[in-house]
Amino acid sequence: KASYKLAQKDKDDSKQDRLNYETAKLDYENQKATADKRTVVAPIDGTVNVVNIKNGDDLSRVSGSGSNAQAPIMIGDFNTLKAYISVNEVDIADVSIGQKATLTFSAIDELSATGKVEKIDSLGTLASGVVSYNVIIGFDALDPRIKPEMSVSADIITAVKPDVLLVPNSAVKTQNGNSYVQVLNGQMPESKTVEIGLFNDLQTEILSGLKIGENVVTQTIDPNTSATTTSQSGGLSLPGMSGGGASRAFHAN
């Protein structure tokens, strides 16, 4: 009798093991058939920048909705990086699609990249009483040191004029609506009325009224004061103009 009960128990265990095996096999086949539904495939090639989930998280809660929405995984293609800059309302009229630009970065002193304007916002943004417009600049070539969220400044080439005559801004003065510069006639300054053209933070284009090589007065010092000044020269940011010399009219190629 005891032997019969033991045999019956072994038979029941074998039956249960078989049932468990069949159940596990069916579950395996079902998981394998539906595996593609649980596989997340990125729509682009790129680099995983941020992972906001961990194993076991509820994706519906991680994603959220509205202003609190958060992507579970963020993937970016560094080759599509763009520079986003703000241009004030005074300068935006001179900016147009396709213009070349030079970009510099606060975090990388020696790096200077080039690009061109790809998009200009039609609507401006008012901040502190100043209206500015967002401009997007695409890179001609992307240096691997450039990373997302870096601070960037851009010089946009809005005009190019070869063979222009330049003087330092401090040499140009205005009286009764007319512009003039002072040139040295011997040891005495002589005023000459001039017509000015383009200008930047450093220098002004002279259209007429001045000849190449004339010495111009950039600053007058009162001999009764103890203040001293020095004359400096530097590179130009206005495209098409180059050269040096802070006290002499010169020709820029």
Side-chain angles (χ1 to χ4, degrees):
K1 186 175 181 180
S3 176
Y4 170 78
K5 289 183 177 180
L6 181 59
Q8 183 66 37
K9 184 176 185 302
D10 290 342
K11 183 178 180 180
D12 291 343
D13 289 345
S14 176
K15 183 178 180 180
Q16 184 62 46
D17 289 343
R18 182 66 183 177
L19 181 61
N20 290 341
Y21 167 76
E22 294 295 338
T23 302
K25 183 179 179 181
L26 288 174
D27 182 63
Y28 168 74
E29 294 296 338
N30 180 64
Q31 294 292 343
K32 187 168 66 171
T34 60
D36 60 332
K37 297 181 180 179
R38 300 187 304 276
T39 302
V40 178
V41 179
I44 62 170
D45 294 333
T47 303
V48 176
N49 297 324
V50 179
V51 177
N52 294 318
I53 58 174
K54 60 182 182 296
N55 189 31
D57 281 347
D58 185 341
L59 291 183
S60 63
R61 293 181 179 179
V62 175
S63 299
S65 60
S67 60
N68 295 322
Q70 186 181 45
I73 299 175
M74 295 182 66
I75 299 176
D77 182 0
F78 285 177
N79 292 322
T80 64
L81 278 179
K82 309 289 183 183
Y84 292 77
I85 65 170
S86 180
V87 179
N88 65 50
E89 59 185 332
V90 176
D91 298 324
I92 195 63
D94 296 324
V95 178
S96 59
I97 302 296
Q99 287 176 334
K100 293 291 185 178
T102 301
L103 302 109
T104 54
F105 304 83
S106 301
I108 314 173
D109 292 336
E110 74 280 8
L111 178 61
S112 178
T114 60
K116 65 179 180 179
V117 177
E118 294 185 351
K119 183 180 178 182
I120 304 171
D121 280 0
S122 299
L123 298 177
T125 302
L126 178 63
S128 302
V130 178
V131 179
S132 59
Y133 297 80
N134 292 323
V135 174
I136 299 177
I137 299 175
F139 292 91
D140 291 334
L142 196 60
D143 189 286
R145 291 172 292 176
I146 300 175
K147 305 297 182 184
E149 307 303 326
M150 280 186 171
S151 298
V152 60
S153 299
D155 289 329
I156 300 174
I157 300 175
T158 58
V160 176
K161 295 186 69 175
D163 302 323
V164 295
L165 182 64
L166 300 174
V167 297
N169 286 346
S170 58
V172 181
K173 301 173 177 59
T174 303
Q175 185 177 37
N176 299 325
N178 297 317
S179 298
Y180 71 95
V181 299
Q182 289 185 316
V183 299
L184 289 179
N185 185 3
Q187 296 297 319
M188 298 299 295
E190 176 186 345
S191 296
K192 282 192 172 184
T193 301
V194 294
E195 181 184 0
I196 65 173
L198 296 176
F199 59 89
N200 59 16
D201 293 338
L202 299 174
Q203 293 164 312
T204 298
E205 176 191 9
I206 303 298
L207 299 176
S208 63
L210 195 63
K211 294 184 298 184
I212 298 172
E214 288 187 289
N215 290 317
V216 296
V217 177
T218 60
Q219 187 175 24
T220 301
I221 302 174
D222 188 342
N224 296 321
T225 66
S226 59
T228 60
T229 61
T230 58
S231 178
Q232 299 179 353
S233 62
L236 298 176
S237 60
L238 185 63
M241 299 182 181
S242 61
S247 62
R248 184 181 296 273
F250 61 93
H251 203 247
N253 297 319

